[in-house]
Amino acid sequence: MEFEMNHLLTEGFVIRLVIDLFTMIVLVRLVYHKIYKKKDFFFTFFLFNLIIYVLTYMLNKVELSFGAAFGLFAVFSLLRYRTENISPKDMTYLFIVIAIGLINSVSKGPYIEIAILNLFIVLFVYALDGNLLIKNEMVQIVQYENIQNIKPVNHPALIEDLKTRTGLDIHKIEIENIDFLKDTARIKVYYYEK
């Protein structure tokens, strides 16, 4: 398992790294940020991708199989976030950035093939998550004090009141909890992102 630094700084390493980082900028900045307007995971996404790319590239030079490398880093990274409060979509993006780093570091195809594969992944993510194929349904929790509207017969009035107060085009609600002592209810409201 001998590895020399001059193997790392080859033309192939640099070109693949440029493809990888360009893909990450497009995916994280132009897709993820545009949809969610969050910067919480920028650091995590970029660093996970970069570290996975470099380590897998190095391990690939010492005859570690693609499956072993993928399993090692995917399990490690997902286990790290098992106790964090991370949404399923953020976890999916984390998995995607790990996969992109792996694909770019160990793929045996020509550079154009790697770039096209990256483009396909980014376009597919944007089509699914960017309201192109399906509407992106958002969820928000609301504390509600007009307890009379909680009754099932008053649900149309409840939805209209919530629409007026929040300015959201709410299409569905779920009453999560009712506190009769405080005359409040915790309601989960569903609306489509415009």
Side-chain angles (χ1 to χ4, degrees):
M1 284 195 156
E2 188 176 313
F3 183 80
E4 296 177 15
M5 193 60 178
N6 63 352
H7 289 168
L8 184 61
L9 300 176
T10 63
E11 177 185 331
F13 174 83
V14 173
I15 292 173
R16 289 168 183 266
L17 181 61
V18 168
I19 293 170
D20 182 66
L21 291 177
F22 181 77
T23 302
M24 286 300 300
I25 290 168
V26 172
L27 179 68
V28 175
R29 182 66 180 100
L30 301 178
V31 177
Y32 177 79
H33 184 266
K34 181 181 176 197
I35 294 169
Y36 297 105
K37 310 285 190 262
K38 295 190 319 188
K39 296 181 182 175
D40 301 352
F41 294 104
F42 272 41
F43 178 81
T44 303
F45 291 159
F46 275 100
L47 271 246
F48 257 108
N49 174 269
L50 182 63
I51 296 303
I52 293 293
Y53 174 84
V54 171
L55 287 176
T56 309
Y57 189 87
M58 290 171 57
L59 290 172
N60 194 38
K61 293 295 184 184
V62 293
E63 303 302 322
L64 184 69
S65 74
F66 179 78
F70 181 77
L72 175 70
F73 294 114
V75 169
F76 166 74
S77 61
L78 294 178
L79 287 177
R80 163 62 185 91
Y81 284 94
R82 75 187 187 283
T83 58
E84 297 288 327
N85 188 12
I86 184 169
S87 74
K89 290 225 178 162
D90 291 333
M91 184 63 79
T92 302
Y93 274 93
L94 181 62
F95 181 75
I96 291 167
V97 301
I98 290 169
I100 288 172
L102 286 168
I103 290 167
N104 291 328
S105 65
V106 299
S107 179
K108 303 293 185 199
Y111 303 131
I112 189 71
E113 183 179 288
I114 296 169
I116 290 171
L117 184 59
N118 282 299
L119 177 65
F120 173 75
I121 291 170
V122 169
L123 290 177
F124 197 72
V125 168
Y126 184 69
L128 288 176
D129 206 22
N131 284 337
L132 294 179
L133 295 178
I134 56 173
K135 287 186 176 181
N136 199 6
E137 186 177 58
M138 305 298 283
V139 179
Q140 192 168 354
I141 305 291
V142 174
Q143 287 295 118
Y144 188 73
E145 84 291 339
N146 192 353
I147 205 75
Q148 292 301 318
N149 283 347
I150 301 300
K151 297 175 185 174
V153 296
N154 293 338
H155 275 199
L158 172 62
I159 291 174
E160 282 305 313
D161 190 30
L162 287 168
K163 282 181 179 181
T164 302
R165 290 176 180 215
T166 63
L168 302 172
D169 188 18
I170 299 167
H171 65 90
K172 180 173 73 170
I173 61 164
E174 285 180 21
I175 300 171
E176 288 196 329
N177 186 20
I178 301 173
D179 187 344
F180 288 109
L181 293 176
K182 295 180 182 176
D183 279 343
T184 62
R186 198 167 88 196
I187 301 173
K188 189 182 285 188
V189 297
Y190 295 85
Y191 59 97
Y192 290 118
E193 188 179 49
K194 294 180 181 180

